[in-house]
């Protein structure tokens, strides 16, 4: 009967990635809620297992027979309800998606290899998993009805309302050798024989269900008590407030207890166990930090600044830190660099550094500040649904950015925003508020986090800094009139709050930047009219995504500046900008060479790329959106003189950056000398000086390459050479900006090309080799690991055809590879750059291809970036070998490091591998990747499955791969759509829907949409007419007079039964 009821039920799958939206009334529909939960765990590090029990205090909201909980990877031993043993059922829906065992006469699911079908099976399995994997039968004697006081109506009669007495549910379970969610890091006989054993949980993506039975949703909150039993030498660091630490009777077990009095979600809890060393900030005792043995000095130097962002965030938000303590624990092989939980952050040991390290310091501080900012909005104030997750990342990124604006200054802040915008334009393809995801792991992408922070910055620019600050403050603290604090944020609530505080309607902003995709891609040009004495400006939108908005054009004239906002919404938009300064009279009758004028009937136009030496035009330079108010891509050209004016006279770092990039198109001596003057100017921001040096190298051609090389090397010798000895001075990095400029000059010199083939000047190669040979860091208190890596990377950038030059380069590379083995640099940066340089030389055919050089560096034991670079080189050089690709798949499946497993899959997404993926030799590779996608290998690791999914789609798309075994029947989805087959529920589990995906263009984005189109199925499935609704997009495109509804024009919702099969 349950199976029949399931097959006859039609539910909407189009709200959140095909999964039903969890609203506040979901608890009432479920029939119960959790009030309190006690967790007691015994951690055995050597055996890699957890043994314990959870005690849940359940509040029935109505009579219930079953209770569903979330738990995976857990082996349930027994379940008790008020000392009564309960029957239970456990189902792991995501272990195998498309059935591969048994036989079926109707549908050949064993031969299915297309992602379109797999996505439908995954949606059905994820739907069932979200309902709960563990089903417990509740004894009816525990459901005790109670009548509330003062509920009897006057004159008697039945009570107006009633409630039920809470009962306790106790579950005994164990977790043995988990693959995800719980990470045990133990000594390795070959790689890390002296490693300190430890373990930690990571519930940020897969949830707390990976290590305990619970209600693992975004809206279910309760109070907690946690008891961790460990070896006496180990320490237990956990979310919440520390209560006590005791020992068992014989003293062989340490018991550490924590409690959380504020109701929080299950996925906000994490803990770590190991022989950690603790350091408490003497100035702020609530900050506690933990690291593995022998790293205490690095820990102190890394985290001692944290009291500054803690005080700044509390002052900015007007709300103190929401918990009593904040703990940071640094662990090895962490799945992410930083994972933030309630009063606890789990971070990678790769972030630790000593006082001699320069380059890692800024990056580490950004990561730690971001994790700290998530304590306010992210853990204390959570999001209500997964599409609202961008609020967490945006608020934390925004707070971290404004803190570093205070720490490093406005120039660094604006350059950071500019670089983040360039990254988002290149990598972000989806909207921030996404309901069309398959799994919420897609919302944790790096591009989404960076875009969210930029959108928060844009909100500040749009509605004012003070108003936006007040908005964030009101989110994290109750209102002045006693308004109740909202603990679960939604996008709609934030937009309403902005409207309430500012009085402005943010719906247009929300539509474009939060719910919309893409960004403005504009091409701009201008001409000057002498007759009318104004600028004729034109804007053209590129691409299919059209935006409407205002573009601020700032005209710098000889006497003053002129700002004018130009509205654009069409493909081409024009506007006239009146010049405020007078023209200088020019009495010359003849035009100079290079001056081009395009006359018309009424005006004489001056093109923006001409009149390089003309002085009778009152324009100095033009800036577009100088305040960087929103993300955009602009193609804009000016004359060389205007770029030179902007580079030398504009005081804004973004304007100087745009000028340096604009001069790359003008490969002239004057442009090279102007950029060289910028490099030599100590008053210019050091990042602009580095960008100017790179622009000099990029603009060098056959006529100017020798001049550019002479200018850069001469300035380098002036600053960093000893004039008496004629060689480079010993390193002295006390001036950080000078040190970073030194690296920028070396990179620029290595990229100077003398011809179209990209060959390097022999003098440049000799200069870099001399720097590498004479590098001396004996008297420097800072490490030269980054500078040495920069020199080696510069060698890899050079392109020379001479055999002698190749021998000189290889001699230095082999020398430093051996040196790094004897005395490893920080993060083995020297080895990373040596492998990259050798790979570049082999790819250019300067050296013969030899994969044996890189394979030894892929084994577990090397630093992760070394292994990643070795795999990248192997794929780049040996992509034609399927034996090698199969070895890499095995490595991705079995490697102990979760981050490296995902890196291997991502590195195989290159065009050369895609080209050979359609051949018959790729069948074994395809089958192994499909097995990873469809089985328990990725069933318990959402991050790994997401990367495997992306790789499979990149190679074969969503259709049936050409290298796979052919189907004797049409594809499964096509059969259902054509209504030629009845659907067997045993074959497709709880599936009653199918999708017709686009298989061209942006088919992948369409494929990931959760709204699946209805297919009418003849046979056993009966679809109620009232459950069908026409897709709004298809209804708009269809003929209004048409009354016939086709199968492909309907959208259906899939629902699984409240009790699993």
């Amino acid at each position: 009967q349950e199976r029949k009821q399931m097959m006859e039920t039609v539910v909407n799958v189009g709200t959140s990635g095909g999964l039903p939206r969890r609203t506040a009334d979901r608890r009432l529909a479920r029939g119960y809620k959790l009030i309190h939960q006690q967790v007691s765990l015994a951690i055995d590090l050597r055996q890699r297992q957890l043994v314990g029990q959870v005690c849940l205090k359940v509040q029935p909201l109505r009579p219930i027979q079953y209770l569903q909980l979330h738990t995976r990877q857990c082996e349930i031993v027994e379940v008790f309800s008020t000392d009564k043993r309960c029957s239970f059922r456990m189902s792991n829906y995501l272990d195998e998606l498309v059935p591969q065992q048994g036989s079926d006469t109707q549908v050949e699911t064993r031969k299915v290899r297309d992602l379109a079908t797999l996505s439908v099976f995954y949606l059905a399995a994820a739907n069932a998993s979200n309902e709960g994997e563990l089903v417990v039968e509740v004894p009816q004697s525990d459901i005790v009805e109670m009548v509330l006081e003062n509920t009897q109506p006057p004159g008697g009669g039945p009570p107006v309302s009633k409630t039920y007495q809470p009962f306790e549910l106790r579950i005994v379970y164990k977790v043995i050798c988990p693959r995800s969610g719980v990470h045990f890091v133990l000594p390795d006989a070959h790689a890390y024989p002296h490693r300190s054993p430890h373990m930690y949980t990571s519930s940020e993506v897969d949830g707390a269900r990976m290590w305990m039975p619970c209600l693992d949703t975004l809206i279910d909150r309760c109070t907690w008590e946690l008891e961790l039993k460990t070896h006496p030498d180990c320490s237990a660091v956990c979310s919440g407030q520390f209560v006590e630490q005791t020992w068992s009777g014989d003293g062989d077990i340490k018991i550490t207890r924590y409690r959380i009095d504020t109701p929080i979600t299950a996925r906000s809890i994490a803990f770590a166990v190991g022989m950690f060393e603790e350091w408490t900030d003497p100035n702020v005792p609530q900050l506690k930090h933990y690291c593995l043995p022998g790293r205490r000095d690095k820990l102190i130097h890394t985290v001692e600044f944290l009291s500054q962002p803690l005080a700044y965030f509390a002052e900015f938000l007007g709300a103190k830190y929401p918990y009593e303590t904040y703990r940071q624990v640094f662990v090895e092989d962490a799945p992410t660099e930083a994972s933030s939980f309630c009063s606890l952050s789990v971070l990678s040991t790769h972030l630790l550094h000593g006082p001699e390290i320069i380059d890692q310091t800024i990056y580490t501080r950004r990561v730690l500040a971001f994790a700290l900012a998530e304590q306010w909005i992210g853990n204390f104030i959570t999001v209500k649904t997964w599409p609202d997750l961008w609020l967490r990342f945006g608020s934390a990124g925004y707070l971290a950015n404004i803190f570093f604006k205070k720490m490093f200054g406005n120039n660094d802040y604006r350059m950071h925003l500019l670089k983040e915008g360039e990254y988002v334009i290149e990598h972000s393809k989806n909207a921030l508020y996404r309901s069309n995801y398959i799994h919420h792991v897609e919302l944790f992408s790096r591009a989404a986090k960076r875009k969210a922070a930029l959108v928060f910055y844009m909100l500040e620019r749009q509605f004012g800094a003070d108003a936006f600050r007040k908005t964030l403050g009101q989110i994290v603290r109750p209102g002045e009139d006693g308004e109740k604090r909202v603990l679960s944020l939604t996008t709609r609530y934030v937009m309403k709050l902005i409207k309430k505080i500012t009085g402005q309607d943010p719906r247009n902003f929300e539509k474009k930047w939060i719910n919309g995709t893409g960004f403005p891609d504009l091409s701009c040009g201008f001409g000057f009219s002498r007759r009318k004495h104004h600028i004729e400006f034109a804007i053209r939108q590129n691409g299919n995504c059209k935006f409407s908005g205002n573009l601020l054009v700032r005209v710098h004239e000889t006497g003053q500046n002129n700002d004018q906002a130009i509205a654009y919404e069409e493909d081409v938009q024009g506007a006239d900008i009146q010049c405020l300064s007078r023209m200088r009279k020019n009495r010359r009758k003849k035009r100079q060479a290079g001056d081009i004028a395009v006359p018309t009937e009424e005006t004489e136009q001056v093109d923006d790329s001409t009149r390089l030496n003309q002085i009778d035009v009152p324009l100095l330079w033009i800036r577009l959106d100088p305040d960087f108010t929103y993300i955009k891509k602009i193609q804009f050209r000016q004359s060389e003189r205007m770029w030179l004016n902007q580079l030398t006279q504009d005081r804004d770092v973004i304007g100087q950056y745009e000028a340096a990039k604009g001069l790359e198109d003008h490969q002239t001596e004057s442009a090279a000398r102007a950029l060289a003057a910028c490099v030599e100017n100590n008053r210019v921001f050091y990042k602009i000086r580095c960008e100017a040096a790179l622009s000099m190298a990029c603009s060098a051609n056959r006529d100017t390459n020798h001049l550019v090389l002479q200018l850069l090397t001469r300035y380098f010798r002036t600053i960093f050479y000893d004039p008496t000895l004629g060689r480079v001075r010993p390193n002295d990095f006390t001036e950080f900006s000078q040190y970073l400029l030194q690296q920028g000059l070396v990179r620029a010199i290595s990229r100077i090309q003398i011809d179209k083939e990209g060959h390097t000047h022999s003098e440049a190669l000799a200069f870099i080799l001399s720097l590498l040979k004479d590098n001396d860091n004996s008297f420097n208190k800072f490490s030269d690991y980054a500078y040495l890596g920069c020199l080696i990377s510069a060698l890899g950038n050079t392109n020379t055809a001479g055999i002698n030059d190749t021998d000189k380069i290889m001699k230095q590379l082999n020398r430093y590879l051996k040196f790094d083995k004897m005395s490893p640099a920080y993060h083995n940066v020297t080895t990373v750059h040596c492998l990259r340089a050798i790979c570049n030389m082999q790819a250019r055919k300067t050296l013969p291809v030899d994969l044996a050089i890189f394979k030894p560096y892929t084994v577990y034991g090397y630093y992760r970036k070394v292994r990643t670079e070795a795999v990248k080189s192997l794929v780049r050089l040996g992509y034609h070998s399927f034996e090698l690709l199969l070895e890499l798949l095995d490595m991705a499946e079995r490697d102990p490091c979760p981050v490296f497993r995902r890196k291997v899959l991502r590195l195989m997404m290159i065009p050369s591998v895609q080209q050979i993926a359609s051949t018959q030799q790729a069948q074994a590779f395809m089958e192994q990747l499909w097995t990873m996608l469809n089985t328990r290998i990725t069933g318990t690791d959402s991050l790994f499955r997401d990367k495997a999914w992306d790789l499979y789609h990149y190679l074969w798309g969503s259709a049936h791969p050409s290298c796979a075994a052919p189907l004797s029947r049409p594809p499964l989805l096509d059969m259902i759509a054509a209504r030629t087959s009845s659907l067997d529920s045993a074959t497709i589990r709880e599936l009653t829907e199918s999708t017709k995906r686009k298989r061209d263009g942006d088919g992948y984005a369409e494929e990931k949409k959760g709204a699946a189109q209805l297919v009418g199925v003849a046979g056993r499935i009966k679809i109620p007419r009232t459950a069908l609704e026409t897709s709004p997009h298809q209804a708009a495109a269809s003929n209004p007079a048409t009354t016939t509804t086709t199968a492909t024009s309907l959208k259906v919702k899939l629902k699984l039964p409240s009790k699993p099969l």
Side-chain angles (χ1 to χ4, degrees):
Q1 290 179 353
E2 291 176 359
R3 187 183 301 272
K4 182 178 179 181
Q5 179 184 3
M6 175 199 67
M7 299 298 293
E8 291 180 351
T9 305
V10 180
V11 187
N12 194 345
V13 295
T15 53
S16 61
L19 308 180
R21 179 173 298 180
R22 293 184 173 274
T23 55
D25 60 350
R26 187 64 180 272
R27 291 188 292 265
L28 181 60
R30 189 170 51 206
Y32 56 90
K33 66 178 181 179
L34 288 186
I35 302 176
H36 184 72
Q37 183 164 343
Q38 296 178 351
V39 183
S40 177
L41 288 175
I43 297 97
D44 190 339
L45 291 177
R46 297 295 179 183
Q47 299 298 325
R48 301 180 71 244
Q49 70 175 9
L50 304 176
V51 179
Q53 67 177 7
V54 294
C55 184
L56 304 95
K57 190 173 184 181
V58 183
Q59 172 65 63
L61 303 178
R62 59 177 175 79
I64 57 175
Q65 296 180 350
Y66 297 93
L67 188 144
Q68 285 184 270
L69 297 173
H70 302 102
T71 180
R72 302 185 61 201
Q73 292 189 135
C74 300
E75 180 181 340
I76 307 300
V77 179
E78 51 188 359
V79 181
F80 297 91
S81 176
T82 318
D83 298 331
K84 302 183 185 70
R85 191 181 300 272
C86 302
S87 60
F88 62 89
R89 289 174 290 178
M90 179 75 179
S91 302
N92 290 320
Y93 300 99
L94 294 172
D95 284 355
E96 184 184 46
L97 300 178
V98 181
Q100 301 295 303
Q101 303 296 329
S103 60
D104 185 74
T105 58
Q106 297 178 351
V107 181
E108 293 182 281
T109 59
R110 289 175 297 172
K111 296 183 179 180
V112 169
R113 295 295 182 270
D114 61 288
L115 284 182
T117 303
L118 183 66
S119 63
V120 177
F121 279 87
Y122 183 85
L123 288 175
N127 192 8
S129 182
N130 283 346
E131 294 293 333
E133 296 88 354
L134 176 62
V135 180
V136 179
E137 185 175 355
V138 180
Q140 294 303 300
S141 59
D142 291 343
I143 310 299
V144 180
E145 181 178 318
M146 298 187 303
V147 177
L148 296 178
E149 298 180 358
N150 301 324
T151 58
Q152 293 289 340
V160 176
S161 61
K162 55 186 176 181
T163 186
Y164 298 88
Q165 181 177 350
F167 66 93
E168 290 188 353
L169 190 72
R170 183 165 58 91
I171 303 174
V172 181
Y173 71 101
K174 55 184 176 180
V175 182
I176 302 175
C177 297
R179 184 174 176 86
S180 177
V182 184
H183 303 273
F184 288 87
V185 185
L186 303 179
D188 187 278
H190 302 285
Y192 302 101
H194 305 294
R195 168 186 275 170
S196 176
H198 58 286
M199 63 81 59
Y200 53 92
T201 61
S202 58
S203 309
E204 191 174 31
V205 178
D206 289 307
R209 69 182 70 185
M210 306 303 292
W211 55 275
M212 69 172 175
C214 58
L215 280 180
D216 194 12
T217 68
L218 294 175
I219 62 172
D220 288 294
R221 294 168 171 263
C222 67
T223 56
W224 296 80
E225 292 182 31
L226 297 105
E227 181 182 81
L228 304 176
K229 302 176 182 179
T230 63
H231 190 273
D233 296 334
C234 294
S235 301
V237 185
C238 183
S239 299
Q241 181 182 355
F242 174 78
V243 178
E244 63 176 355
Q245 189 176 86
T246 61
W247 282 261
S248 60
D250 51 4
D252 58 346
I253 297 178
K254 181 191 290 186
I255 304 174
T256 309
R257 294 184 176 89
Y258 291 84
R259 78 168 188 267
I260 304 174
D261 297 330
T262 303
I264 63 171
T265 60
R267 63 178 57 245
S268 297
I269 297 176
F271 68 91
V273 173
M275 292 182 287
F276 298 119
E277 295 184 9
E278 179 183 353
W279 182 74
T280 302
D281 194 323
N283 300 320
V284 186
Q286 68 181 138
L287 295 178
K288 300 180 181 296
H289 315 278
Y290 302 84
C291 68
L292 296 173
R295 307 182 186 185
R296 180 182 173 86
D297 293 339
K298 291 184 178 180
L299 173 72
I300 295 175
H301 180 76
T302 302
V303 303
E304 62 183 355
F305 85 101
L306 203 63
S307 59
Q308 301 177 39
L310 179 67
Y312 181 80
F313 295 157
E315 179 186 359
F316 183 85
L317 296 173
K320 65 179 183 178
Y321 177 70
Y323 304 107
E324 293 188 5
T325 58
Y326 177 63
R327 300 178 179 89
Q328 289 187 140
V329 55
F330 292 84
V331 298
E332 294 186 352
D333 290 344
T336 57
E337 285 185 322
S339 299
S340 183
F341 306 96
C342 168
S343 72
L344 173 69
S345 291
V346 180
L347 305 118
S348 173
T349 54
H350 297 160
L351 298 173
L352 295 175
H353 58 84
E356 73 280 1
I357 303 300
I358 299 176
D359 300 72
Q360 181 69 29
T361 303
I362 297 176
Y363 178 77
T364 294
R365 292 190 175 187
R366 285 192 180 275
V367 174
L368 298 187
F370 184 91
L372 176 61
E374 285 186 301
Q375 293 298 314
W376 277 269
I377 301 179
N379 291 294
F380 182 67
I381 306 295
T382 62
V383 295
K384 192 171 185 178
T385 64
W386 285 115
D388 297 313
L389 189 63
W390 75 274
L391 294 170
R392 170 178 181 169
F393 298 143
S395 60
Y398 171 77
L399 290 174
N401 287 340
I402 60 175
F403 167 72
F404 283 101
K405 177 182 178 181
K406 177 183 178 181
M407 175 173 286
F408 297 119
N410 188 60
N411 286 342
D412 186 87
Y413 174 68
R414 287 180 61 79
M415 284 297 296
H416 176 74
L417 293 177
L418 180 65
K419 292 297 183 180
E420 292 292 284
E422 292 178 352
Y423 180 91
V424 168
I425 289 174
E426 182 178 359
H427 296 90
S428 179
K429 308 299 180 184
N430 298 303
L432 282 180
Y433 187 91
R434 291 182 58 193
S435 59
N436 59 344
Y437 58 88
I438 288 183
H439 192 278
H440 60 261
V441 67
E442 302 169 30
L443 306 177
F444 286 82
S445 66
R446 183 175 301 178
K449 293 181 180 180
R450 294 186 174 185
K451 182 179 179 181
L454 285 179
V455 168
F456 264 66
Y457 161 78
M458 293 160 56
L459 284 169
E460 176 200 277
R461 297 289 308 179
Q462 180 83 10
F463 302 104
D466 294 337
F468 190 65
R469 178 177 180 176
K470 185 177 179 181
T471 302
L472 292 179
Q474 190 163 334
I475 289 175
V476 299
R477 66 178 186 270
E480 298 179 356
D481 55 351
E483 183 181 352
K484 185 179 179 181
R485 178 191 289 115
V486 176
L487 296 178
S488 297
L489 280 184
T490 63
T491 302
R492 177 171 296 184
Y493 171 78
V494 174
M495 294 298 109
K496 286 184 177 180
L497 190 59
I498 292 176
K499 183 177 181 180
K500 175 183 177 182
I501 294 176
T502 65
Q504 303 179 45
D505 192 353
R507 284 184 294 180
N508 188 33
F509 183 93
E510 179 184 3
K511 178 181 178 181
K512 289 194 298 185
W513 298 108
I514 300 176
N515 299 327
T517 60
F519 50 87
D521 186 359
L522 309 176
S523 295
C524 302
F526 69 94
F528 181 77
S529 172
R530 282 199 187 92
R531 185 182 300 272
K532 296 182 179 180
H533 195 59
H534 68 201
I535 299 172
E536 296 178 352
F537 199 88
I539 302 175
R540 184 183 65 196
Q541 294 202 55
N542 305 318
N544 298 325
C545 184
K546 306 301 181 184
F547 278 73
S548 61
N550 294 326
L551 178 67
L552 179 64
V553 179
R554 177 170 296 170
V555 181
H556 292 261
E557 304 179 20
T558 54
Q560 56 186 320
N561 300 337
N562 182 13
D563 289 356
Q564 179 164 340
I566 300 178
Y568 62 90
E569 58 180 335
E570 301 176 354
D571 291 347
V572 179
Q573 188 77 31
D576 295 337
I577 304 176
Q578 191 67 33
C579 288
L580 304 180
S581 301
R582 290 188 175 183
M583 291 191 303
R584 296 180 58 183
K585 295 184 178 180
N586 184 8
R587 301 182 181 277
R588 291 176 299 175
K589 298 182 179 180
K590 296 184 179 180
R591 300 184 184 276
Q592 294 184 354
D595 291 352
I596 302 175
V598 183
T600 61
E601 294 181 359
E602 298 180 358
T603 63
E604 184 181 9
Q605 303 292 340
V606 180
D607 187 73
D608 64 315
S609 61
T610 61
R611 292 199 179 276
L612 305 180
N613 301 312
Q614 194 166 345
I615 62 174
D616 60 345
V617 177
L619 304 181
L620 296 179
W621 72 92
I622 296 178
R623 292 282 308 279
L624 306 181
D625 189 24
D627 298 327
F628 193 70
T629 54
Y630 56 88
I631 306 171
K632 64 198 172 300
K633 181 180 180 182
I634 295 182
Q635 300 176 15
F636 181 59
R637 296 182 62 187
Q638 298 184 110
S639 67
E640 180 181 349
R641 175 174 293 276
M642 297 178 74
W643 285 128
L644 293 176
N645 291 334
Q646 182 172 336
L647 180 65
T648 56
Q649 301 180 37
D650 202 322
R651 302 179 64 86
D652 180 29
V653 290
I654 295 182
Q656 296 169 358
Y657 175 84
E658 293 172 349
K661 290 298 180 182
L663 286 174
E664 290 182 6
D665 298 332
H666 301 276
Q667 302 174 349
T668 62
E669 180 179 345
S670 58
R673 293 189 181 277
L675 289 170
C678 178
V679 173
E680 298 173 7
N681 191 350
N682 293 328
R683 299 173 61 185
V684 178
F685 187 47
Y686 76 94
K687 289 186 177 181
I688 299 300
R689 299 169 71 186
C690 294
E691 292 293 344
L694 288 177
S695 297
M696 289 179 65
C698 294
S699 63
N701 56 12
R702 179 175 299 180
D703 299 329
T704 61
N705 66 84
H706 186 75
L707 173 64
V708 170
L709 178 61
Q710 182 182 5
L711 291 173
L712 290 176
T713 54
R714 184 183 64 185
Y715 180 68
F716 191 96
R717 289 188 175 97
T718 302
I719 301 300
F720 303 108
Y721 263 58
D722 189 335
T724 59
L725 299 178
R727 56 182 294 179
V728 65
R729 294 192 187 97
N731 294 331
D732 182 11
F733 300 154
T734 53
E735 184 65 35
F736 291 164
S737 60
Q738 201 82 336
Y739 156 71
L740 297 172
L741 176 64
Q742 187 175 359
Q743 294 187 42
L745 291 174
V746 172
R747 294 191 192 96
I749 292 172
S750 68
R751 296 184 181 182
I752 299 175
Q753 300 176 357
I754 60 176
D755 52 28
K756 294 182 179 180
E757 287 73 21
H759 289 102
T760 304
H761 206 289
S762 58
E763 294 182 13
L765 178 60
F767 180 78
I768 296 173
L769 285 172
S770 67
L771 293 179
L772 197 59
K773 179 181 178 181
D774 299 333
N775 180 60
D776 182 8
N777 204 59
S778 304
F779 304 100
N780 189 13
K781 67 177 182 179
F782 297 103
S783 173
D784 66 340
Y785 80 101
Y787 176 63
L788 192 59
C790 179
L791 290 173
I792 297 173
S793 178
L795 276 184
N797 293 335
T798 59
N799 183 9
T800 177
I803 299 177
N804 294 334
D805 294 336
T806 303
D807 293 340
K808 293 178 182 179
I809 295 174
M810 284 305 302
K811 181 180 178 180
Q812 293 295 327
L813 295 179
N814 290 328
R815 169 196 170 197
Y816 279 100
L817 277 175
K818 295 178 181 179
F819 183 77
D820 201 40
K821 288 183 178 179
M822 295 184 295
S823 179
Y826 181 73
H827 287 177
N828 291 113
V829 169
T830 303
T831 301
V832 172
H833 288 284
C834 285
L835 294 178
R836 186 178 302 164
I838 295 174
C839 178
N840 290 338
M841 297 175 68
Q842 293 187 11
R844 290 194 297 261
K845 309 300 181 183
T846 307
L847 290 175
V849 176
D850 185 5
L851 301 182
I853 298 176
F854 307 100
K855 285 186 177 181
Y857 293 96
T858 62
V859 298
Y860 185 66
Y862 282 97
Y863 178 65
R864 189 177 69 232
K865 288 187 178 180
V866 174
R867 305 178 67 201
T868 301
E869 191 63 39
V871 171
K872 183 178 180 180
S873 302
L874 288 174
V875 176
R876 181 182 177 187
L877 300 174
Y879 64 89
H880 55 277
S881 173
F882 283 104
E883 292 77 8
L884 174 63
L885 297 180
L886 288 173
E887 291 179 10
L888 294 179
L889 274 186
D890 291 336
M891 187 185 303
E893 179 180 340
R894 297 181 174 87
D895 196 84
C897 181
V899 177
F900 181 73
R901 291 201 298 263
R902 302 194 300 267
K903 288 279 188 179
V904 172
L905 296 180
R906 184 181 61 83
L907 291 174
M908 286 191 280
M909 296 173 58
I910 60 175
S912 55
V913 177
Q914 186 184 38
Q915 292 175 3
I916 64 173
S918 58
T919 62
Q920 290 300 321
Q921 292 80 3
Q923 183 174 3
F925 179 75
M926 182 272 301
E927 289 290 346
Q928 184 169 347
L929 185 57
W930 176 266
T931 303
M932 294 172 61
L933 271 173
N934 193 42
T935 60
R936 196 175 185 271
I937 298 174
T938 58
T940 56
D941 192 344
S942 300
L943 290 170
F944 187 61
R945 172 170 275 173
D946 184 62
K947 294 301 179 184
W949 192 296
D950 290 342
L951 175 60
Y952 196 95
H953 182 272
Y954 180 81
L955 298 179
W956 297 289
S958 58
H960 191 77
S962 58
C963 61
L967 296 173
S968 58
R969 298 171 179 265
L972 177 62
L973 299 185
D974 294 342
M975 294 169 60
I976 299 175
R979 304 187 181 189
T980 59
S981 172
S982 60
L983 191 62
D984 189 352
S985 61
T987 303
I988 310 185
R989 296 191 176 183
E990 298 85 359
L991 179 66
T992 60
E993 60 158 355
S994 63
T995 54
K996 292 289 290 181
R997 312 290 188 186
K998 291 185 178 180
R999 296 176 180 173
D1000 56 347
D1002 295 332
Y1004 189 39
E1006 294 292 326
E1007 172 189 306
K1008 286 199 170 186
K1009 288 187 176 180
Q1013 295 177 343
L1014 171 67
V1015 288
V1017 181
R1020 304 177 187 174
I1021 302 180
K1022 298 180 180 180
I1023 303 178
R1025 183 179 300 273
T1026 57
L1028 304 181
E1029 59 179 13
T1030 306
S1031 171
H1033 300 288
Q1034 294 171 349
S1038 61
N1039 188 353
T1042 303
T1043 57
T1044 304
T1045 304
T1046 62
T1048 57
S1049 66
L1050 298 175
K1051 183 168 67 175
V1052 97
K1053 296 188 175 184
L1054 170 73
K1055 183 176 182 180
L1056 296 170
S1058 58
K1059 294 175 287 184
L1061 302 181

